Amino acid sequence: MSTIHHFIGDKNNFNWEDVDLKVFDGTDGSKYASRRILITEEREGAKYFVFRYFRIMPGGNSTMFDKHAHDHGVLILHGHCTVVINNQEFHAGPMDVIYISPEDVHHFIVEGDEPLGFLCVIPNKKLLPKLVE
């Protein structure tokens, strides 16, 4: 069902109406990280993709050495980071776009003293078996 989630955040703490916050407890290898799922099949009925916002505080990182059968599209909104993809390091900041291929090992490490915030689009994981065929 088509919908709009109005922005209610601020410069380095993005938030949207009717979108829950999940704070990661670190058991996945992440540190000082949280996520908001902006568009998903369960809530909006999006059948083909999931649209997410991640925020990682200074001194933190995403899940270390993460790897998936699907690709990712990432847009950095605020903050700076080191992006590690298959042991190669890249520096990224606001408005940089990152493509992560399927099965590439990857993680994000915050640089500096401001939070890192980025959008991440992935396919609906329910479709992966069909896409592999």
Side-chain angles (χ1 to χ4, degrees):
M1 170 171 147
S2 298
T3 189
I4 296 174
H5 298 288
H6 292 283
F7 182 76
I8 56 173
D10 59 43
K11 179 182 173 187
N12 288 326
N13 188 14
F14 285 24
N15 191 3
W16 292 264
E17 290 176 342
D18 304 317
V19 176
D20 293 332
L21 173 69
K22 176 183 179 176
V23 177
F24 294 101
D25 62 10
T27 57
D28 63 351
S30 64
K31 185 176 177 184
Y32 310 137
S34 62
R35 176 189 72 202
R36 294 183 189 277
I37 301 178
L38 304 175
I39 300 172
T40 185
E41 183 175 18
E42 290 74 22
R43 192 179 55 230
E44 287 79 22
K47 294 181 181 182
Y48 303 106
F49 69 95
V50 179
F51 194 56
R52 309 168 305 167
Y53 168 75
F54 288 88
R55 182 172 186 236
I56 307 172
M57 298 303 293
N61 55 263
S62 66
T63 302
M64 298 298 283
F65 308 104
D66 212 8
K67 180 175 144 176
H68 314 279
H70 57 80
D71 48 4
H72 299 61
V74 174
L75 170 65
I76 305 293
L77 295 175
H78 59 82
H80 293 85
C81 66
T82 299
V83 182
V84 180
I85 303 173
N86 295 330
N87 296 319
Q88 283 191 287
E89 292 187 2
F90 306 92
H91 296 281
M95 307 321 288
D96 287 339
V97 175
I98 302 154
Y99 172 71
I100 301 170
S101 297
E103 304 300 342
D104 278 358
V105 177
H106 59 281
H107 57 273
F108 297 77
I109 303 168
V110 178
E111 294 177 352
D113 59 357
E114 64 180 318
L116 173 68
F118 59 90
L119 297 174
C120 180
V121 179
I122 61 171
N124 182 336
K125 292 179 184 178
K126 292 178 187 175
L127 298 177
L128 287 178
K130 292 179 183 177
L131 295 174
V132 171
E133 294 173 1

